[in-house]
Amino acid sequence: MHPVLALFLTSIGLSLAFGNTLIDSVNLINTGFGGTLKGIGVTIILGSILAMGIQDTGAATSICNFFTRLFRGRALELAPALTAYIVSIPVFGDITMVLTAPIASILSRRKKISMSSMSSFIGMGLGLTHGLVPPTPGILAIALMYGADLGLTIFWGIIISFVAFIGTWLLLRKWAAKEWIEPREDFVEGIEPAKSDSIDDIIIHEKGLPNAFMSLLPVLIPVVLITFASFAKVYMKDGGATLTFFTSVGDRVMALLLGVVFTVVLGYLKADKVKAHHLRNSGNDGASLSQILLGTWVGRGLVVALLPLLITAMGGAMGGILKSVPVVKDLGVMVADTNLLPIMIPFLTASILMTAIGSMTTAGLTAAAIVLPMLDSLGISPVAATLSIGCGTMIFSHLSDSGFWIMTQFFNLNTTQGLKYLTLPRAVSGVIGFITLSILVSMGLI
């Protein structure tokens, strides 16, 4: 059953079970669906358009080459993994998987690195920023539901996710490399192993790639603007023109729009590469550059955005039903009276739901709706609760997760290997992220 239909029917069933009439149930779903779309709809669309630009201009490949040079050809699994970590901040995780799989496969063939290592840390890296760093749709919707400051959520989300990334890599890098898994042959056709350890032999050579700084800007622009706007609200004088300017450009929609605008500019600067990519994928060599950037990119982005839009909005609808149930508030009081640390409640709730549901976005939004009535009793900040749920959604991605199957397909893993190299590293990173968050909360920083 399609996840959107499954969420809709589950929402109807839950609402009826809680004593609502069929009409009231539909009204609650409409309210929750529309309210969630209002908060994240344009953001998802802009992020998807931005992803088309990152793909067509070769920015993802350029970022990977940057990390390859940075690490001097060593620990090469980190190059595509950190690329996925960065790109997945504004871009939906499933799209990032598709962007990074060919890059990882080429590096795997050139340096004889097993796809077990590549998949372990790419899946973990993109999952961390997908789950913990807005403006990715799920964590963005949770932050809006809780009224958490977006800039602070991004700031602390990046710190926690990066600590979790490095910690997991240090713990599992040798274990992940023990089993040899070949890359998909269609990704590495004509690619030969590198003849030396020279950086020039290892990096991916493509004509017309943008430099690393230009490649990173589409991602960094929205992240920096949103974060800076939050700090500006704290340290700048209210009512001042400077504060007004930074809060305007730091609005989540405006910040992502500026990221898209820069991506279009990058497309103009890399016109030959963009046209070549368009011809290779569409077979149409008659389209002008403006048609590709302002028409084809937008059209492809809308197609890519549709499923995340519907799943996130329907998850918000189910969350709206849970929020309306008085028994959830009573449950919050009961939980608050237990001996569990308050910061553990959102984490455990999200972990259980992620294991059962499979979708990080749906599990996170449902957990957020369950925990919302408890927030006052738990005594933790909205930012802390948001990030705790994000860490929880890293736990036990498995057969019920559509992203699990995309990763196994593109990284040439069978089901057993997927459980080993996708599920386990994500779970470890979620636990490390939660421990890091708990320390920061205990220090009074979040």
Side-chain angles (χ1 to χ4, degrees):
M1 185 181 293
H2 195 279
V4 175
L5 180 59
L7 284 169
F8 176 74
L9 295 177
T10 302
S11 299
I12 290 283
L14 277 175
S15 185
L16 293 174
F18 288 136
N20 294 314
T21 66
L22 184 60
I23 295 299
D24 287 341
S25 300
V26 172
N27 287 335
L28 283 169
I29 290 172
N30 284 336
T31 301
F33 188 94
T36 304
L37 271 187
K38 180 178 69 175
I40 53 87
V42 177
T43 305
I44 292 178
I45 291 171
L46 291 174
S48 298
I49 297 170
L50 190 149
M52 299 305 101
I54 289 175
Q55 182 179 46
D56 289 12
T57 59
T61 303
S62 182
I63 294 169
C64 185
N65 283 344
F66 165 76
F67 284 118
T68 300
R69 291 188 179 98
L70 182 66
F71 298 123
R72 299 183 179 182
R74 293 186 288 271
L76 273 186
E77 68 276 4
L78 285 179
L82 285 169
T83 302
Y85 175 90
I86 292 170
V87 171
S88 196
I89 292 174
V91 175
F92 208 69
D94 291 359
I95 305 171
T96 307
M97 295 175 192
V98 177
L99 288 175
T100 54
I103 298 170
S105 299
I106 292 171
L107 289 176
S108 170
R109 173 62 58 85
R110 283 197 170 156
K111 283 295 290 181
K112 297 183 179 178
I113 299 172
S114 173
M115 291 303 289
S116 60
S117 291
M118 292 294 190
S119 59
S120 291
F121 303 116
I122 290 174
M124 179 262 293
L126 67 86
L128 281 167
T129 47
H130 181 88
L132 286 165
V133 185
T136 303
I139 194 70
L140 172 62
I142 296 168
L144 294 177
M145 183 189 298
Y146 283 0
D149 184 285
L150 275 185
L152 291 177
T153 306
I154 291 172
F155 178 77
W156 289 114
I158 288 174
I159 290 175
I160 291 167
S161 61
F162 189 72
V163 170
F165 180 97
I166 296 300
T168 305
W169 176 72
L170 290 172
L171 281 174
L172 300 182
R173 59 176 302 199
K174 291 182 179 179
W175 166 82
K178 287 182 179 179
E179 181 178 0
W180 175 252
I181 300 173
E182 290 277 356
R184 271 178 46 162
E185 195 58 41
D186 54 329
F187 286 157
V188 294
E189 186 176 354
I191 303 296
E192 297 293 333
K195 297 178 180 178
S196 71
D197 290 330
S198 165
I199 298 298
D200 196 57
D201 276 348
I202 297 170
I203 62 171
I204 299 171
H205 293 278
E206 287 184 15
K207 186 178 179 180
L209 285 176
N211 64 48
F213 178 71
M214 297 287 280
S215 300
L216 285 164
L217 278 180
V219 178
L220 293 181
I221 285 172
V223 170
V224 170
L225 288 177
I226 294 171
T227 305
F228 195 84
S230 293
F231 284 99
K233 292 174 188 176
V234 176
Y235 296 109
M236 290 185 179
K237 184 179 179 181
D238 287 342
T242 306
L243 177 61
T244 302
F245 170 77
F246 282 117
T247 52
S248 297
V249 297
D251 173 81
R252 62 182 182 277
V253 173
M254 183 58 66
L256 264 172
L257 178 60
L258 290 172
V260 170
V261 168
F262 179 81
T263 308
V264 171
V265 172
L266 184 61
Y268 275 108
L269 294 174
K270 296 298 174 182
D272 290 343
K273 187 162 186 63
V274 170
K275 286 184 176 181
H277 190 279
H278 178 75
L279 176 61
R280 186 166 61 251
N281 286 276
S282 69
N284 175 19
D285 61 352
S288 69
L289 182 61
S290 295
Q291 287 175 324
I292 296 170
L293 301 181
L294 304 178
T296 305
W297 278 10
V298 175
R300 286 165 53 204
L302 289 173
V303 171
V304 167
L306 181 60
L307 187 58
L309 275 170
L310 294 177
I311 289 177
T312 306
M314 196 59 74
M318 187 163 69
I321 289 171
L322 290 170
K323 283 190 291 183
S324 70
V325 181
V327 71
V328 176
K329 296 181 181 179
D330 298 334
L331 178 63
V333 175
M334 291 173 58
V335 170
D337 289 337
T338 66
N339 293 323
L340 286 173
L341 287 172
I343 194 65
M344 290 187 69
I345 306 303
F347 174 77
L348 292 174
T349 305
S351 300
I352 293 167
L353 287 169
M354 180 62 195
T355 304
I357 295 172
S359 164
M360 292 180 72
T361 301
T362 305
L365 285 169
T366 307
I370 293 173
V371 173
L372 181 60
M374 310 179 192
L375 272 186
D376 290 338
S377 302
L378 294 176
I380 56 178
S381 72
V383 171
T386 299
L387 295 175
S388 181
I389 289 172
C391 291
T393 60
M394 292 296 294
I395 306 298
F396 301 130
S397 162
H398 58 95
L399 307 183
S400 59
D401 183 359
S402 62
F404 175 91
W405 296 110
I406 295 172
M407 284 288 291
T408 55
Q409 176 188 353
F410 278 85
F411 288 80
N412 206 29
L413 308 177
N414 60 37
T415 303
T416 302
Q417 290 166 339
L419 291 169
K420 187 175 179 181
Y421 298 116
L422 301 178
T423 303
L424 182 59
R426 279 197 177 198
V428 171
S429 68
V431 171
I432 293 175
F434 175 71
I435 292 170
T436 306
L437 171 64
S438 299
I439 292 171
L440 294 171
V441 169
S442 68
M443 295 170 64
L445 295 174
I446 302 180

